[in-house]
Amino acid sequence: MEDRTDGRNANQLRPLGCSRTILNRAHGSARWSQGNTLVLAAVYGPKAGTKKGENPEKASFEVIWKPKTGQIGKQEREYEMILKRTLQSICLVNVHPNTTTSVIVQVVGDDGSLLPCAINASCAALVDAGIPMKHLAVSISCGLMEEGSIILDLTKSEEEKLKAFAYLVFPNSPLSVIDKVHSSKEEPIEHGIITSVSYGAMPVSGYFDCLERGRAASAAISEFLRRSLQKQSSDDASRASQ
Amino acid sequence: MEQRWANTSRLTINEKQFIEEALRSEIRVDGRRLYDYRRLTIKFGRYRCLPRATILSCKCYHLRFSLFCCNCREDGSSEVQLGETHVMAFVTGQLLQPYRDRPNEGTLAIFTEFSPMADPSFEPGRPGEAAIELGRVIDRGLRESRAVDMESLCVVAGKSVWAIRVDLHIIDNGGNLIDAANIAALAALSTFRRPECSVGGDDNQEIIVHDPEVRDPIPLTIHHFPIAVTFAFFHEGNTLVIDPHYKEEAVSGVRMTVTVNSNGDVCAIQKAGGEGILSGDVMRCLRIASLKASEMTTKIKEAVETYNAEVALKKVKRHPSLIAQKITVPDVEMKEASFQKTKELSADMENSPNQTSTSLTTTKDKDTNASIGRPLNWDPYSSSAPAIVSSSTLPELVGTSKDANEDQMMQTDEEYDPNLKKDQIASATGVSSGIHKQNSPPKSLKDAVKPKHKRKKNAERGAR
């Protein structure tokens, strides 16, 4: 199965698209597309008060996942839970205690890698809303083929055919001001993996291969994210004055 | 950050008083005149994944209904922006059992979702009053006024009909959701294509749903476009505005929505509560609404036409680059001449569908002389293909499968169609097997001309 159906090679991602500030009422909004998978995310917050059961000493997050058509089912609830935990770990929750930030995700097109796309979109929307964060989150899907090779950024048909695949979320690579030579001697600041959701059975070595490949790909995606966020930051200045 | 802590969905008293006072001098919040609509943008999207084997059959006796998976077809989807209001509509279709009292009609259902991202006051979960009201008004306008032809959606009377579902997602609430959602629903329904299905099989009870690549999907028949126009009243009914902004909606006590079409028929009127309005004012609103409705109808139709034309052009443009790779004809000059011809023809295809029939007859003579003339053979089909391509043949060209076996299978069933299709397929994707088959029977190409005209007529009937 060397050729992927859309002609990409194993390490190629689909064309990425990101645009910020697309909605007027929402405090922050972003649209993220990976090929034909398109997700719209909006952020409202921080609003006063926390829900019952949440820790009032920290900021809490509420995620609402809206599918394209049909009723909300268990799959949507699972996505909401994963997204909430991911966002809680990247945001600074002690800055605004006893507040609730709502993130609403709307699926516009689904062609595989839906959860990674949604995580990327939510992260961009949080940036657009100005919620304080430790670092950004970049998400990628990796599939494990029978012969042990890894393919990135799965489409829907690939997800259905593969025996095992995983959605991985990494922190974005930091932009270092100091010299490259200098920094290579020390350990990178953030090396951990934030979230991993795996489907199907895969051998341990296969999983670690996925992690390695995913981390390498996340560098490319975080580069793209940084560029697209910086490009629109000039519009931010004019909005802040309003 | 501080202003977010307050409840942002309520207006302050100052803002309310300002809006009311300004309206006395006919000044609106965003600088419009009283009867002006905001800027309207309609965008369409086609979200499709790779084609799969989709020939399903269902035995009606056992009442087993097979769902045609919505991912493979092209769903009608539209995104409408009316000023700050942003609405998305998705149309999908399924084969289901009809209602008992209407056994030979399809069904149309409208689902509205007030997404919490549209307004901080929208709660997730059960739809509130406003969501239900919006759904009902659009439902009355579209379904009960018979705007969409339901009888053509019947496949087997009493057993299986197409159930069309329209999902409206309100993404951004800038005011006047009903009008924007109505436009989105109309735009999505206009670009929706359902797969063709035929009744066949052994006992003539099986329903076969055809793959979009094998048979072109069919558009819905829409008889008229019901346009909703919302009015907001201020100062005890003395001032009325069209297309209220969300701040104006919060200030006004009374709102009325009138659904009319460009023929001047009133499809629905919705005025739920609030202060009373003089009947003379209601008549005035109806007159204003019918003017606005005809403007809006032309805008929607233009947007749909532009979109269909774009899609068609995209498919035709694929044609010249692929000819260069696959054709190995000794006569190089003729090939270039035909390139020019096809390029010109594709450029005017939208304007002059009549011309194509004349070019067809001229090239027909060339066919008999040049047996090699593969580039010449391209001409009749590629020139007439655009004429057929109003809407039905478009999807076929896009997603044509590269499966040569399928072509052969098709040939055994019907003699003429595969020649036509192969030519179109070859012109779109350059399948080499199609090209070779093209070469061998030059006589069958001429014979293929007749059924093509029939197809054209059917396609035109289906499209309009």
Side-chain angles (χ1 to χ4, degrees), chain A residues 206-222:
Chain A
Y207 181 67
F208 284 135
D209 286 339
C210 278
L211 286 187
E212 252 185 72
R213 195 69 69 84
R215 189 189 307 284
S218 72
I221 303 182
S222 60

Side-chain angles (χ1 to χ4, degrees), chain B residues 2 12-13 27 34 52 66 75 81 89 94 121 132 140 194 218 228 252 295 323 428 444:
Chain B
E2 282 73 36
T12 59
I13 297 180
I27 299 174
L34 292 182
R52 314 177 207 180
S66 37
D75 297 335
Q81 261 181 296
Q94 277 184 16
S121 62
I132 295 178
R140 290 211 310 265
R194 61 172 178 88
I218 310 169
S252 88
E295 282 174 25
I323 289 182
S444 66

Side-chain angles (χ1 to χ4, degrees), chain A residues 46-50 55-60 92-100, chain B residues 5:
Chain A
K47 287 182 284 202
T50 43
N55 187 356
E57 290 179 23
K58 302 196 169 170
S60 76
L92 293 165
V93 290
N94 293 316
V95 179
H96 297 295
N98 203 18
T99 59
T100 306
Chain B
W5 293 61

Side-chain angles (χ1 to χ4, degrees), chain B residues 208-227:
Chain B
I208 306 167
V209 181
H210 297 277
D211 200 342
E213 281 84 49
V214 175
R215 298 265 194 102
D216 309 316
I218 310 169
L220 295 174
T221 318
I222 303 181
H223 298 302
H224 61 92
F225 276 46
I227 308 284

Side-chain angles (χ1 to χ4, degrees), chain B residues 106-123:
Chain B
T107 59
L108 175 69
I110 306 212
F111 292 86
T112 38
E113 289 260 353
F114 271 33
S115 173
M117 67 165 69
D119 198 298
S121 62
F122 289 170
E123 297 288 319

Side-chain angles (χ1 to χ4, degrees), chain B residues 8-9 23 49 51 69 113 195 205 254 261 264 267 279 281 308 344 364 413 432:
Chain B
T8 47
S9 57
L23 277 170
C49 59
C69 64
E113 289 260 353
Q205 288 292 332
V254 197
N261 64 15
C267 304
S279 49
D281 287 339
N308 285 336
E344 286 164 17
K364 232 169 62 172
D413 294 340
S432 44

